[in-house]
Coordinates of all heavy atoms in Angstrom, one line a residue:
M1 N 2.6 -16.6 -4.1 CA 1.2 -16.4 -3.6 C 0.7 -15.0 -4.0 O 1.4 -14.1 -4.4 CB 1.1 -16.5 -2.1 CG 1.8 -15.4 -1.3 SD 1.5 -15.4 0.4 CE -0.2 -14.8 0.4
E2 N -0.7 -14.9 -4.1 CA -1.3 -13.7 -4.5 C -2.2 -13.1 -3.3 O -2.8 -13.9 -2.6 CB -2.1 -13.9 -5.7 CG -1.4 -14.1 -7.0 CD -2.3 -14.1 -8.2 OE1 -3.5 -14.3 -8.0 OE2 -1.7 -13.9 -9.3
V3 N -2.2 -11.8 -3.3 CA -3.1 -11.2 -2.3 C -3.9 -10.1 -3.1 O -3.4 -9.4 -3.9 CB -2.3 -10.4 -1.2 CG1 -3.3 -9.8 -0.2 CG2 -1.4 -11.4 -0.5
T4 N -5.2 -10.0 -2.7 CA -6.0 -8.9 -3.4 C -6.4 -7.9 -2.3 O -6.9 -8.2 -1.2 CB -7.3 -9.6 -4.0 OG1 -6.9 -10.5 -5.0 CG2 -8.2 -8.5 -4.5
F5 N -6.1 -6.7 -2.7 CA -6.5 -5.5 -1.9 C -7.7 -4.8 -2.5 O -7.6 -4.4 -3.7 CB -5.4 -4.5 -1.7 CG -4.2 -5.0 -1.0 CD1 -3.1 -5.7 -1.7 CD2 -4.1 -4.9 0.4 CE1 -2.0 -6.2 -1.0 CE2 -3.0 -5.4 1.1 CZ -1.9 -6.0 0.4
V6 N -8.8 -4.7 -1.8 CA -9.9 -4.0 -2.3 C -9.7 -2.5 -1.8 O -9.6 -2.3 -0.6 CB -11.3 -4.5 -1.8 CG1 -12.4 -3.7 -2.3 CG2 -11.4 -6.0 -2.2
L7 N -9.7 -1.6 -2.8 CA -9.3 -0.2 -2.4 C -10.5 0.6 -2.0 O -11.7 0.2 -2.2 CB -8.6 0.4 -3.6 CG -7.4 -0.3 -4.2 CD1 -6.8 0.4 -5.3 CD2 -6.4 -0.7 -3.1
Q8 N -10.3 1.8 -1.5 CA -11.4 2.6 -1.0 C -12.3 3.1 -2.1 O -13.4 3.4 -1.8 CB -10.8 3.8 -0.2 CG -10.2 3.3 1.1 CD -9.1 4.3 1.6 OE1 -8.2 4.7 0.9 NE2 -9.3 4.7 2.9
D9 N -11.8 3.1 -3.3 CA -12.7 3.5 -4.4 C -13.5 2.3 -5.0 O -14.2 2.4 -6.0 CB -11.9 4.2 -5.5 CG -10.9 3.2 -6.2 OD1 -10.9 2.0 -5.9 OD2 -10.2 3.7 -7.1
G10 N -13.4 1.1 -4.4 CA -14.1 0.0 -4.8 C -13.4 -0.9 -5.8 O -13.8 -2.0 -6.1
S11 N -12.3 -0.4 -6.4 CA -11.5 -1.2 -7.3 C -10.7 -2.2 -6.5 O -10.6 -2.0 -5.3 CB -10.6 -0.3 -8.2 OG -9.7 0.3 -7.4
S12 N -10.1 -3.1 -7.2 CA -9.2 -4.0 -6.4 C -7.9 -4.2 -7.2 O -7.8 -4.1 -8.4 CB -9.9 -5.3 -6.2 OG -10.3 -6.0 -7.3
R13 N -6.9 -4.6 -6.4 CA -5.6 -4.9 -7.0 C -5.1 -6.2 -6.4 O -5.0 -6.4 -5.2 CB -4.6 -3.7 -6.7 CG -4.8 -2.6 -7.7 CD -3.6 -1.6 -7.6 NE -2.3 -2.2 -7.7 CZ -1.2 -1.6 -7.2 NH1 -1.3 -0.4 -6.7 NH2 0.0 -2.2 -7.3
T14 N -4.7 -7.1 -7.3 CA -4.1 -8.3 -6.9 C -2.6 -8.3 -7.2 O -2.2 -7.9 -8.3 CB -4.7 -9.5 -7.7 OG1 -6.1 -9.5 -7.4 CG2 -4.1 -10.8 -7.3
V15 N -1.8 -8.6 -6.1 CA -0.4 -8.5 -6.3 C 0.3 -9.8 -5.8 O -0.3 -10.6 -5.1 CB 0.2 -7.3 -5.4 CG1 -0.4 -6.0 -5.8 CG2 0.0 -7.6 -3.9
E16 N 1.5 -10.0 -6.3 CA 2.3 -11.1 -5.9 C 2.9 -10.9 -4.5 O 3.3 -9.7 -4.3 CB 3.4 -11.4 -6.9 CG 3.0 -12.0 -8.2 CD 2.6 -13.5 -8.0 OE1 3.2 -14.2 -7.1 OE2 1.7 -13.9 -8.8
A17 N 3.0 -11.9 -3.7 CA 3.6 -11.7 -2.4 C 4.5 -12.9 -2.1 O 4.1 -14.0 -2.4 CB 2.5 -11.5 -1.3
E18 N 5.6 -12.6 -1.5 CA 6.5 -13.6 -1.0 C 6.0 -14.1 0.4 O 5.4 -13.3 1.1 CB 7.9 -13.0 -0.8 CG 8.6 -12.6 -2.0 CD 9.0 -13.8 -2.9 OE1 9.4 -14.8 -2.4 OE2 8.8 -13.7 -4.1
P19 N 6.2 -15.4 0.7 CA 5.8 -15.8 2.0 C 6.7 -15.1 3.1 O 7.8 -14.7 2.8 CB 6.1 -17.3 2.0 CG 6.4 -17.7 0.6 CD 6.7 -16.4 -0.1
D20 N 6.1 -15.1 4.3 CA 6.8 -14.5 5.5 C 7.1 -13.1 5.4 O 8.1 -12.6 6.0 CB 8.1 -15.4 5.8 CG 8.4 -15.4 7.3 OD1 7.4 -15.2 8.1 OD2 9.6 -15.4 7.6
W21 N 6.3 -12.3 4.7 CA 6.3 -10.9 4.8 C 5.2 -10.4 5.7 O 4.2 -11.1 5.8 CB 6.1 -10.2 3.4 CG 7.3 -10.2 2.6 CD1 8.2 -11.2 2.4 CD2 7.8 -9.0 1.8 NE1 9.2 -10.7 1.5 CE2 8.9 -9.4 1.1 CE3 7.3 -7.8 1.6 CZ2 9.6 -8.6 0.3 CZ3 7.9 -6.9 0.8 CH2 9.1 -7.3 0.1
K22 N 5.3 -9.2 6.3 CA 4.1 -8.6 6.9 C 3.2 -8.2 5.7 O 3.7 -7.6 4.7 CB 4.5 -7.4 7.7 CG 5.3 -7.8 8.9 CD 5.8 -6.6 9.7 CE 6.6 -7.0 10.9 NZ 7.2 -6.0 11.7
L23 N 1.9 -8.4 5.9 CA 1.0 -8.0 4.8 C 1.1 -6.5 4.5 O 1.0 -6.1 3.4 CB -0.4 -8.4 5.2 CG -1.5 -8.1 4.1 CD1 -1.2 -8.9 2.8 CD2 -2.9 -8.5 4.6
M24 N 1.3 -5.7 5.6 CA 1.5 -4.3 5.4 C 2.7 -4.0 4.5 O 2.6 -3.1 3.6 CB 1.7 -3.6 6.8 CG 2.1 -2.2 6.8 SD 3.9 -1.9 6.5 CE 4.6 -2.3 8.1
E25 N 3.8 -4.8 4.6 CA 5.0 -4.5 3.8 C 4.7 -4.9 2.3 O 5.2 -4.2 1.4 CB 6.1 -5.4 4.3 CG 6.6 -5.0 5.7 CD 7.6 -6.1 6.2 OE1 7.5 -7.3 5.9 OE2 8.5 -5.6 7.0
V26 N 3.9 -5.9 2.1 CA 3.5 -6.2 0.7 C 2.7 -5.0 0.1 O 2.9 -4.6 -1.0 CB 2.6 -7.5 0.7 CG1 2.0 -7.8 -0.7 CG2 3.4 -8.7 1.3
A27 N 1.8 -4.5 0.9 CA 1.0 -3.4 0.5 C 1.9 -2.1 0.1 O 1.7 -1.5 -0.9 CB -0.1 -3.0 1.5
V28 N 2.8 -1.8 1.1 CA 3.6 -0.6 0.9 C 4.5 -0.9 -0.3 O 4.7 0.0 -1.2 CB 4.4 -0.3 2.2 CG1 5.5 0.7 1.9 CG2 3.5 0.1 3.3
D29 N 5.1 -2.1 -0.5 CA 5.9 -2.4 -1.6 C 5.2 -2.3 -2.9 O 5.9 -2.0 -3.9 CB 6.4 -3.9 -1.4 CG 7.7 -4.2 -2.2 OD1 8.6 -3.4 -2.0 OD2 7.7 -5.2 -2.9
N30 N 3.9 -2.5 -2.9 CA 3.2 -2.4 -4.1 C 2.4 -1.0 -4.2 O 1.5 -0.9 -5.1 CB 2.2 -3.5 -4.2 CG 2.9 -4.8 -4.6 OD1 3.2 -5.1 -5.8 ND2 3.2 -5.6 -3.6
A31 N 2.7 -0.1 -3.3 CA 2.1 1.2 -3.4 C 0.6 1.2 -3.3 O -0.1 1.9 -4.1 CB 2.6 2.1 -4.6
I32 N 0.1 0.3 -2.4 CA -1.4 0.2 -2.3 C -1.9 1.5 -1.6 O -1.4 1.7 -0.4 CB -1.8 -1.1 -1.5 CG1 -1.3 -2.3 -2.2 CG2 -3.3 -1.1 -1.2 CD1 -2.0 -2.6 -3.5
P33 N -2.7 2.3 -2.2 CA -3.2 3.5 -1.5 C -4.0 3.2 -0.3 O -4.8 2.3 -0.3 CB -4.0 4.2 -2.6 CG -4.3 3.2 -3.6 CD -3.3 2.1 -3.5
G34 N -3.7 3.9 0.8 CA -4.5 3.8 2.1 C -3.8 2.9 3.1 O -4.3 2.8 4.2
I35 N -2.7 2.3 2.7 CA -1.9 1.6 3.7 C -0.5 2.2 3.7 O 0.3 2.1 2.8 CB -1.8 0.1 3.3 CG1 -3.2 -0.6 3.3 CG2 -0.8 -0.6 4.3 CD1 -3.2 -2.1 3.4
D36 N -0.3 2.9 4.9 CA 1.0 3.7 5.0 C 2.0 3.0 5.8 O 3.2 3.1 5.6 CB 0.7 5.0 5.6 CG -0.3 5.8 4.7 OD1 -0.3 5.6 3.4 OD2 -1.0 6.7 5.2
G37 N 1.6 2.3 6.8 CA 2.6 1.6 7.7 C 3.5 2.5 8.4 O 4.7 2.3 8.5
D38 N 3.0 3.6 8.9 CA 3.8 4.6 9.5 C 4.7 4.2 10.7 O 5.8 4.7 10.9 CB 2.9 5.8 10.1 CG 2.4 6.6 8.9 OD1 2.8 6.5 7.8 OD2 1.5 7.5 9.2
C39 N 4.2 3.2 11.5 CA 5.0 2.8 12.6 C 6.0 1.7 12.3 O 6.7 1.2 13.2 CB 4.1 2.4 13.8 SG 3.4 0.8 13.6
G40 N 6.1 1.3 11.1 CA 7.0 0.3 10.6 C 6.6 -1.1 11.0 O 7.4 -2.1 10.9
G41 N 5.4 -1.3 11.4 CA 4.8 -2.6 11.7 C 4.8 -3.0 13.1 O 4.8 -4.2 13.5
E42 N 4.7 -2.0 14.0 CA 4.8 -2.3 15.5 C 3.4 -2.3 16.1 O 3.3 -2.2 17.3 CB 5.7 -1.2 16.1 CG 7.1 -1.2 15.6 CD 7.8 -2.5 15.8 OE1 7.6 -3.2 16.9 OE2 8.6 -2.9 14.9
A43 N 2.4 -2.3 15.3 CA 1.0 -2.3 15.8 C 0.7 -1.0 16.6 O 0.0 -1.0 17.7 CB 0.7 -3.5 16.7
A44 N 1.3 0.1 16.2 CA 1.3 1.3 17.0 C 0.7 2.5 16.2 O 0.8 3.6 16.7 CB 2.6 1.7 17.5
C45 N 0.1 2.3 15.0 CA -0.3 3.5 14.3 C -1.7 3.3 13.6 O -2.4 4.2 13.4 CB 0.7 3.9 13.3 SG 0.8 2.8 11.8
A46 N -2.0 2.1 13.3 CA -3.3 1.7 12.6 C -3.4 2.3 11.2 O -4.5 2.3 10.6 CB -4.5 2.1 13.4
T47 N -2.3 2.7 10.6 CA -2.3 3.2 9.2 C -2.2 2.0 8.2 O -2.0 2.2 7.0 CB -1.2 4.2 8.9 OG1 0.0 3.5 9.0 CG2 -1.3 5.4 9.8
C48 N -2.4 0.8 8.8 CA -2.4 -0.4 8.0 C -3.6 -1.2 8.2 O -3.7 -2.4 7.9 CB -1.1 -1.3 8.3 SG -1.2 -2.0 9.9
H49 N -4.7 -0.5 8.7 CA -6.0 -1.2 9.0 C -6.6 -1.8 7.8 O -6.8 -1.1 6.8 CB -6.8 -0.1 9.7 CG -8.1 -0.6 10.2 ND1 -9.0 0.3 10.8 CD2 -8.7 -1.8 10.4 CE1 -10.1 -0.4 11.2 NE2 -9.9 -1.6 10.9
V50 N -7.0 -3.0 7.9 CA -7.8 -3.7 6.8 C -9.0 -4.4 7.4 O -9.0 -4.8 8.6 CB -6.9 -4.6 6.0 CG1 -5.8 -3.9 5.3 CG2 -6.4 -5.8 6.8
Y51 N -10.0 -4.7 6.6 CA -11.0 -5.6 6.9 C -10.7 -6.9 6.1 O -10.6 -6.9 4.9 CB -12.4 -5.1 6.5 CG -12.8 -3.8 7.1 CD1 -13.4 -2.8 6.4 CD2 -12.7 -3.6 8.5 CE1 -13.9 -1.7 7.0 CE2 -13.1 -2.4 9.1 CZ -13.7 -1.5 8.3 OH -14.1 -0.3 8.9
V52 N -10.7 -8.0 6.8 CA -10.4 -9.3 6.2 C -11.7 -9.9 5.7 O -12.7 -9.9 6.4 CB -9.7 -10.3 7.2 CG1 -9.5 -11.7 6.6 CG2 -8.4 -9.7 7.7
A53 N -11.6 -10.4 4.4 CA -12.8 -11.0 3.8 C -13.2 -12.2 4.7 O -12.4 -12.9 5.2 CB -12.5 -11.5 2.4
P54 N -14.6 -12.4 4.8 CA -15.1 -13.4 5.8 C -14.4 -14.8 5.6 O -14.1 -15.4 6.6 CB -16.6 -13.5 5.4 CG -16.9 -12.2 4.7 CD -15.6 -11.7 4.1
E55 N -14.3 -15.2 4.4 CA -13.7 -16.5 4.1 C -12.2 -16.7 4.5 O -11.7 -17.8 4.6 CB -13.9 -17.0 2.7 CG -13.2 -16.1 1.6 CD -14.0 -14.9 1.2 OE1 -14.8 -14.3 2.0 OE2 -13.8 -14.5 0.0
W56 N -11.6 -15.6 4.8 CA -10.2 -15.6 5.2 C -9.9 -15.3 6.7 O -8.8 -15.3 7.1 CB -9.4 -14.6 4.3 CG -9.2 -15.1 3.0 CD1 -10.0 -14.7 1.9 CD2 -8.4 -16.1 2.5 NE1 -9.6 -15.4 0.8 CE2 -8.6 -16.3 1.1 CE3 -7.4 -16.9 3.2 CZ2 -7.9 -17.3 0.4 CZ3 -6.7 -17.9 2.4 CH2 -6.9 -18.0 1.1
R57 N -11.0 -15.1 7.4 CA -10.8 -14.7 8.8 C -10.1 -15.8 9.6 O -9.2 -15.5 10.4 CB -12.1 -14.4 9.5 CG -12.5 -13.0 9.0 CD -13.7 -12.4 9.8 NE -13.4 -12.3 11.2 CZ -14.3 -12.1 12.1 NH1 -15.6 -11.9 11.7 NH2 -14.0 -12.0 13.4
E58 N -10.5 -17.0 9.4 CA -9.9 -18.1 10.2 C -8.5 -18.3 9.9 O -7.6 -18.4 10.8 CB -10.7 -19.4 10.0 CG -10.5 -20.4 11.1 CD -11.3 -21.7 10.9 OE1 -12.5 -21.5 10.5 OE2 -10.8 -22.7 11.1
A59 N -8.2 -18.3 8.6 CA -6.8 -18.6 8.1 C -5.8 -17.5 8.6 O -4.6 -17.7 8.8 CB -6.8 -18.7 6.6
T60 N -6.3 -16.2 8.8 CA -5.4 -15.2 9.2 C -5.2 -15.1 10.7 O -4.4 -14.4 11.2 CB -6.0 -13.8 8.7 OG1 -7.4 -13.7 9.0 CG2 -5.8 -13.6 7.2
G61 N -6.0 -15.9 11.4 CA -5.7 -16.1 12.9 C -6.3 -15.0 13.7 O -7.1 -14.1 13.3
E62 N -5.9 -15.0 15.0 CA -6.4 -14.0 16.0 C -5.6 -12.8 16.0 O -4.4 -12.8 15.6 CB -6.3 -14.7 17.4 CG -7.1 -15.9 17.5 CD -8.6 -15.7 17.5 OE1 -9.1 -14.6 18.0 OE2 -9.4 -16.5 16.9
R63 N -6.2 -11.7 16.4 CA -5.4 -10.5 16.6 C -4.3 -10.7 17.7 O -4.5 -11.4 18.7 CB -6.3 -9.3 17.1 CG -7.4 -8.9 16.1 CD -8.3 -7.9 16.7 NE -9.4 -7.6 15.8 CZ -10.5 -7.0 16.2 NH1 -10.7 -6.6 17.4 NH2 -11.5 -6.7 15.3
T64 N -3.2 -10.0 17.5 CA -2.2 -10.1 18.6 C -2.6 -9.1 19.7 O -3.5 -8.3 19.5 CB -0.8 -9.6 18.0 OG1 -0.9 -8.3 17.6 CG2 -0.4 -10.5 16.9
E65 N -1.9 -9.2 20.8 CA -2.3 -8.4 22.0 C -2.1 -6.9 21.7 O -3.0 -6.1 21.9 CB -1.6 -8.8 23.2 CG -2.4 -8.7 24.5 CD -1.7 -9.3 25.7 OE1 -1.6 -10.5 25.7 OE2 -1.3 -8.5 26.5
P66 N -0.9 -6.5 21.2 CA -0.7 -5.1 20.9 C -1.7 -4.6 19.8 O -2.1 -3.4 19.8 CB 0.8 -5.0 20.4 CG 1.3 -6.4 20.4 CD 0.3 -7.3 21.1
E67 N -2.0 -5.5 18.9 CA -2.9 -5.1 17.8 C -4.3 -4.9 18.4 O -5.0 -3.9 18.1 CB -3.0 -6.3 16.8 CG -4.0 -6.2 15.7 CD -4.0 -7.4 14.8 OE1 -3.5 -8.5 15.3 OE2 -4.6 -7.3 13.7
Q68 N -4.7 -5.7 19.3 CA -6.0 -5.6 20.0 C -6.0 -4.2 20.7 O -7.0 -3.5 20.6 CB -6.2 -6.7 21.0 CG -7.5 -6.8 21.7 CD -8.6 -7.0 20.7 OE1 -8.6 -7.9 19.9 NE2 -9.7 -6.2 20.9
D69 N -5.0 -3.9 21.4 CA -4.9 -2.6 22.1 C -5.0 -1.4 21.2 O -5.7 -0.4 21.4 CB -3.6 -2.5 22.9 CG -3.6 -3.4 24.1 OD1 -4.6 -4.0 24.4 OD2 -2.5 -3.6 24.7
M70 N -4.3 -1.5 20.1 CA -4.3 -0.4 19.1 C -5.7 -0.3 18.5 O -6.2 0.9 18.3 CB -3.3 -0.7 18.0 CG -3.1 0.4 17.0 SD -2.3 1.9 17.8 CE -3.4 3.2 17.2
L71 N -6.3 -1.4 18.2 CA -7.6 -1.3 17.5 C -8.7 -0.8 18.5 O -9.7 -0.2 18.0 CB -8.0 -2.7 17.0 CG -7.3 -3.1 15.7 CD1 -7.6 -4.6 15.4 CD2 -7.7 -2.2 14.5
A72 N -8.4 -0.9 19.8 CA -9.4 -0.4 20.8 C -9.5 1.1 20.7 O -10.5 1.7 21.1 CB -9.0 -0.8 22.2
S73 N -8.5 1.8 20.1 CA -8.6 3.2 20.0 C -8.6 3.7 18.5 O -8.1 4.8 18.2 CB -7.5 3.9 20.8 OG -6.2 3.4 20.3
T74 N -9.0 2.8 17.6 CA -9.0 3.1 16.2 C -10.4 3.3 15.7 O -11.3 2.6 16.1 CB -8.3 1.9 15.4 OG1 -7.0 1.8 15.9 CG2 -8.3 2.2 13.9
F75 N -10.6 4.2 14.8 CA -11.9 4.5 14.2 C -12.3 3.4 13.2 O -11.5 2.9 12.4 CB -11.8 5.9 13.5 CG -13.1 6.3 12.9 CD1 -14.1 6.8 13.7 CD2 -13.3 6.3 11.5 CE1 -15.3 7.2 13.1 CE2 -14.5 6.7 10.9 CZ -15.5 7.2 11.8
G76 N -13.6 3.1 13.2 CA -14.1 2.2 12.1 C -13.8 0.8 12.3 O -13.8 0.0 11.3
V77 N -13.6 0.4 13.5 CA -13.2 -1.0 13.8 C -14.4 -1.9 13.7 O -15.5 -1.6 14.2 CB -12.5 -1.2 15.1 CG1 -12.3 -2.7 15.5 CG2 -11.2 -0.5 15.1
R78 N -14.3 -3.0 13.0 CA -15.3 -4.1 12.8 C -14.8 -5.4 13.3 O -13.6 -5.5 13.6 CB -15.7 -4.2 11.4 CG -16.3 -3.0 10.8 CD -16.7 -3.3 9.3 NE -17.1 -2.0 8.6 CZ -17.2 -1.9 7.3 NH1 -17.0 -3.0 6.5 NH2 -17.6 -0.8 6.7
E79 N -15.6 -6.4 13.4 CA -15.2 -7.7 13.9 C -14.1 -8.3 13.0 O -13.2 -9.0 13.5 CB -16.4 -8.7 13.7 CG -17.1 -9.0 15.1 CD -18.2 -10.0 14.8 OE1 -17.8 -11.2 14.6 OE2 -19.3 -9.6 14.9
N80 N -14.1 -7.9 11.7 CA -13.0 -8.5 10.9 C -11.9 -7.5 10.6 O -11.1 -7.6 9.7 CB -13.6 -8.9 9.5 CG -14.3 -7.7 8.8 OD1 -14.6 -6.7 9.4 ND2 -14.5 -7.9 7.5
S81 N -11.7 -6.5 11.5 CA -10.6 -5.6 11.5 C -9.3 -6.3 11.8 O -9.3 -7.0 12.8 CB -10.8 -4.4 12.4 OG -11.8 -3.5 11.9
R82 N -8.3 -6.0 11.1 CA -6.9 -6.4 11.5 C -5.9 -5.3 11.1 O -6.2 -4.5 10.2 CB -6.5 -7.7 10.7 CG -7.2 -9.0 11.0 CD -7.0 -9.5 12.5 NE -5.6 -9.6 12.9 CZ -4.8 -10.6 12.7 NH1 -5.3 -11.7 12.1 NH2 -3.6 -10.7 13.1
L83 N -4.8 -5.3 11.8 CA -3.7 -4.5 11.4 C -2.9 -5.3 10.5 O -2.4 -6.4 10.9 CB -2.9 -4.0 12.6 CG -3.7 -3.1 13.6 CD1 -2.8 -2.7 14.8 CD2 -4.2 -1.8 12.9
S84 N -2.7 -4.9 9.2 CA -2.1 -5.8 8.3 C -0.6 -6.1 8.6 O 0.0 -7.0 8.0 CB -2.3 -5.3 6.8 OG -1.7 -4.0 6.7
C85 N 0.0 -5.3 9.5 CA 1.4 -5.5 9.9 C 1.4 -6.7 10.8 O 2.5 -7.3 11.1 CB 2.0 -4.3 10.5 SG 1.3 -3.8 12.1
Q86 N 0.3 -7.2 11.3 CA 0.3 -8.3 12.2 C -0.2 -9.6 11.5 O -0.4 -10.6 12.1 CB -0.6 -8.0 13.4 CG -0.3 -6.7 14.2 CD 1.1 -6.8 14.8 OE1 1.4 -7.7 15.6 NE2 2.0 -6.0 14.3
I87 N -0.3 -9.5 10.2 CA -0.6 -10.7 9.4 C 0.6 -11.1 8.6 O 1.2 -10.3 7.9 CB -1.8 -10.5 8.4 CG1 -3.1 -10.1 9.2 CG2 -2.0 -11.7 7.5 CD1 -4.3 -9.7 8.4
R88 N 1.1 -12.3 8.8 CA 2.3 -12.8 8.0 C 1.8 -13.6 6.8 O 0.9 -14.4 6.8 CB 3.0 -13.8 8.9 CG 3.9 -13.2 9.9 CD 5.3 -13.0 9.3 NE 6.0 -12.1 10.2 CZ 7.2 -11.5 9.9 NH1 7.7 -11.7 8.7 NH2 7.7 -10.7 10.7
T89 N 2.4 -13.2 5.7 CA 2.0 -14.0 4.4 C 2.6 -15.4 4.5 O 3.6 -15.6 5.1 CB 2.6 -13.3 3.2 OG1 4.0 -13.2 3.4 CG2 2.0 -11.9 3.0
S90 N 1.8 -16.3 3.9 CA 2.3 -17.7 3.8 C 1.5 -18.3 2.7 O 0.5 -17.8 2.2 CB 2.0 -18.5 5.1 OG 0.6 -18.7 5.2
E91 N 2.0 -19.5 2.2 CA 1.3 -20.1 1.1 C -0.2 -20.4 1.5 O -1.1 -20.5 0.6 CB 2.0 -21.4 0.7 CG 3.3 -21.1 0.0 CD 3.2 -20.3 -1.3 OE1 2.1 -20.3 -1.9 OE2 4.2 -19.6 -1.7
A92 N -0.4 -20.6 2.8 CA -1.8 -20.9 3.3 C -2.7 -19.8 3.0 O -3.9 -19.9 3.1 CB -1.8 -21.3 4.7
L93 N -2.1 -18.6 2.8 CA -3.0 -17.4 2.6 C -3.0 -17.0 1.1 O -3.4 -15.9 0.7 CB -2.4 -16.2 3.4 CG -2.5 -16.4 4.9 CD1 -2.0 -15.1 5.6 CD2 -3.9 -16.7 5.4
D94 N -2.6 -17.9 0.2 CA -2.6 -17.6 -1.2 C -4.1 -17.4 -1.6 O -5.0 -18.2 -1.4 CB -2.1 -18.9 -2.0 CG -2.0 -18.6 -3.5 OD1 -1.9 -17.4 -3.9 OD2 -2.1 -19.5 -4.3
G95 N -4.3 -16.2 -2.2 CA -5.7 -15.8 -2.6 C -6.4 -14.9 -1.6 O -7.5 -14.5 -1.8
L96 N -5.7 -14.6 -0.5 CA -6.2 -13.7 0.6 C -6.8 -12.4 0.0 O -6.2 -11.8 -0.9 CB -5.1 -13.4 1.5 CG -5.4 -12.4 2.6 CD1 -6.4 -12.9 3.6 CD2 -4.1 -12.0 3.4
E97 N -7.9 -12.0 0.5 CA -8.5 -10.8 0.1 C -8.8 -9.9 1.4 O -9.4 -10.4 2.3 CB -9.8 -11.0 -0.6 CG -10.5 -9.7 -1.1 CD -11.8 -10.0 -1.9 OE1 -11.7 -10.8 -2.8 OE2 -12.8 -9.3 -1.6
V98 N -8.4 -8.7 1.3 CA -8.6 -7.7 2.4 C -9.1 -6.4 1.8 O -8.7 -6.1 0.7 CB -7.4 -7.5 3.3 CG1 -6.9 -8.7 4.0 CG2 -6.2 -6.8 2.5
E99 N -9.9 -5.7 2.6 CA -10.4 -4.4 2.1 C -9.5 -3.3 2.9 O -9.4 -3.4 4.1 CB -11.8 -4.2 2.5 CG -12.5 -3.0 2.0 CD -14.0 -2.9 2.5 OE1 -14.5 -4.0 2.8 OE2 -14.5 -1.8 2.6
V100 N -9.0 -2.3 2.2 CA -8.2 -1.3 2.8 C -9.2 -0.3 3.5 O -10.1 0.2 2.9 CB -7.4 -0.5 1.7 CG1 -6.7 0.6 2.3 CG2 -6.5 -1.5 1.0
V101 N -8.9 0.0 4.7 CA -9.7 0.9 5.5 C -9.2 2.3 5.4 O -9.9 3.3 5.2 CB -9.8 0.5 7.0 CG1 -10.7 1.5 7.7 CG2 -10.4 -0.9 7.1
G102 N -7.9 2.4 5.4 CA -7.3 3.8 5.4 C -7.3 4.4 6.8 O -7.9 3.9 7.7
S103 N -6.7 5.6 6.9 CA -6.6 6.2 8.2 C -6.9 7.6 8.1 O -7.0 8.2 7.1 CB -5.2 6.0 8.8 OG -4.2 6.3 7.8
Ligands
LIG1 FE1 1.5 0.7 12.2 FE2 0.6 -1.6 11.3 S1 2.1 -0.4 10.5 S2 0.0 -0.5 13.1

């Protein structure tokens, strides 16, 4: 499957992803700038904050409870904000596009 990250400079990078990874891990593995994953994927740092493209919001599901709590104290949160460590890659998300928010 492929995932596209829209970077803070407006450029985008499309990378290959294995199913059942945390989206944050895919980003870190591919050195996507602006996604650091400082807490290791525990929904406790928000350095993996992304905006999910509108057409992918339903497929990526609802925020988890710890994610919701973390986002409540995160800067720049929008309706389509997600912590990318709380999104699991799967074939159903092939073509997923997210915008990197950075921290
Ligand atoms: Fe820390 Fe996602 S990696 S909240």
Side-chain angles (χ1 to χ4, degrees):
M1 63 169 291
E2 286 187 344
V3 183
T4 297
F5 295 92
V6 178
L7 307 182
Q8 289 157 307
D9 66 3
S11 66
S12 61
R13 278 194 48 202
T14 300
V15 301
E16 285 289 329
E18 295 292 321
D20 209 29
W21 278 47
K22 293 173 179 178
L23 184 59
M24 173 276 284
E25 294 171 329
V26 173
V28 170
D29 200 49
N30 285 280
I32 299 295
I35 297 196
D36 298 332
D38 284 350
C39 74
E42 301 300 321
C45 72
T47 64
C48 68
H49 185 184
V50 295
Y51 298 137
V52 175
E55 64 272 30
W56 286 102
R57 283 191 59 192
E58 201 178 319
T60 47
E62 300 292 323
R63 295 173 185 167
T64 64
E65 214 173 292
E67 176 182 16
Q68 185 65 44
D69 289 348
M70 187 66 230
L71 285 172
S73 59
T74 299
F75 183 73
V77 172
R78 298 181 188 166
E79 257 183 70
N80 58 342
S81 286
R82 293 294 310 271
L83 297 177
S84 58
C85 64
Q86 303 298 300
I87 298 175
R88 280 266 166 199
T89 57
S90 72
E91 290 302 336
L93 295 182
D94 185 25
L96 174 65
E97 183 179 309
V98 299
E99 183 182 339
V100 175
V101 181
S103 49

